[in-house]
Amino acid sequence: MKKIYDVIVIGGGPAGLAAAVAVRQQPDTDVLILERDSELGGILNQCIHNGFGLHTFREELTGPEYAARFIRQAQELKIPCKLRTMVLDLSRTPEGLLLVTAMNREDGLVQLPARAVILAMGCRERPRGALNLPGFRPAGIYTAGTAQRLVNMEGLLPGKEVVILGSGDIGLIMARRMTLEGARVKAVAELMPYSGGLQRNIVQCLEDFDIPLKLSHTVVDIQGKDRVTAVTLAQVGPERKPIPGTEETIPCDTLLLSCGLIPENELSSRLGVDLSPVTGGPQVNESLETSVPGVFACGNVLHVHDLVDYVSEEAARAGAQAAAYAREQGNASLPSAAVPAVPLIPAGGVRYTVPQLVRPARMEDTLPVRFRAGRVFENCLLSVWADDVCILRQPKRKLAPGEMQQFNLKKSALPADLKAITVKVEEA
């Protein structure tokens, strides 16, 4: 093993692959990928539907095809990768290097020092236990991602009469997938008054198959002890509490849960990385660097994305920035000094932004900033304020929480004595 790596990437999914490729493309910079699964590609390996790659490759690919493009790039660049390797801890050595502690069957327990680390562990589904659903715990209750793996990779059909709770993209896609496999999807219930998925998935996965979408509804009871026999839905009011008298019992043998994704940030927490209370992922600056110097984050471990193309774009930025940081750390003649940062403050209907901090002195000419709205807006204005001065105002036909948005922040528009940048939605 190499004594000190320039960059170690934790995770070999779409974010980790794109980040590692970007690192390797920098001059005289080496990189190592650590992946806990037996193959690269991450969640894309079970996403056999198309719709990937329209932005990155200008063609429509399936998940495995999209992953294969980046795996091929990594192989051509001769990027080393350790599969079936679980990262146990991330710490810092007395010399200031980052230390990745990992384990696999071939090497046993190893400690790998690096100048920079990229977090690309992805996210996990929110389980039933975190949802406080009433009723027994019978067979027939799955997260939508588990059902997707069973159908697409194991060749198993979880059930034939299905209700789906949550209208996230995985839930919408599984409504179509289960229907194509011969199951009957009786309803998709959504707690919020709007869907959490992309509009194109609502059309292609529900409307095209006449699957009803019940907004402002939730599960209030699950019947069955050995196996699910029915679920009871009820309408919820503005406070998201069930309204008595609106109950509807739907016979079924399967309940799929598509109720949100949680960034995998146990390693980040143990290292002391500042996490966003909104996204659950790290708070980062314009370089996608976390509050711990030399630790970068990208992809769904940072915030949950709609499109894998955006994951790859973000990861490439993180890879290039991590490589630059590693080169600086390797050059002892360069003094390290703290660079002032200003916060990006979400307000007026903006739920969060990524990045959350900006160091104007380290910005490139144009910085892409991604954000999500807190509710549905129509015919509105996105405004960006540098202190009390509006530096950007864009008309938006529609903003919805299920679709991530982006604007470009111009360095030339920022004043020298900047205190904060505020991003908000205004009525047109």
Side-chain angles (χ1 to χ4, degrees), residues 231-249:
V231 299
T232 300
L233 303 180
Q235 190 174 349
V236 298
E239 296 181 352
R240 303 179 195 173
K241 293 183 179 180
I243 300 174
T246 64
E247 295 84 1
E248 174 189 5
T249 298

Side-chain angles (χ1 to χ4, degrees), residues 120-141:
M121 296 89 73
C123 59
R124 64 176 183 268
E125 292 182 281
R126 197 181 303 276
R128 179 186 176 182
L131 302 176
N132 296 322
L133 291 181
F136 293 99
R137 269 41 175 180
I141 303 176

Side-chain angles (χ1 to χ4, degrees), residues 284-287 339-344 355-363 367 369 409 414 418 421:
V284 294
N285 59 28
E286 78 294 333
S287 299
V339 180
V342 298
L344 269 79
Q356 291 91 353
L357 297 168
V358 169
R359 298 173 298 178
R362 289 294 184 95
M363 275 182 61
L367 173 68
V369 177
L409 185 63
L414 303 179
L418 181 65
I421 300 170

Side-chain angles (χ1 to χ4, degrees), residues 143-183:
T143 61
T146 298
Q148 185 182 59
R149 182 176 183 87
L150 290 173
V151 173
N152 294 346
M153 301 189 74
E154 308 295 337
L156 301 173
L157 188 64
K160 295 184 177 180
E161 301 282 327
V162 184
V163 171
I164 299 177
L165 176 61
S167 61
D169 287 313
I170 300 178
L172 298 176
I173 289 167
M174 281 310 296
R176 177 179 62 185
R177 190 75 181 99
M178 295 290 285
T179 301
L180 293 174
E181 287 297 320

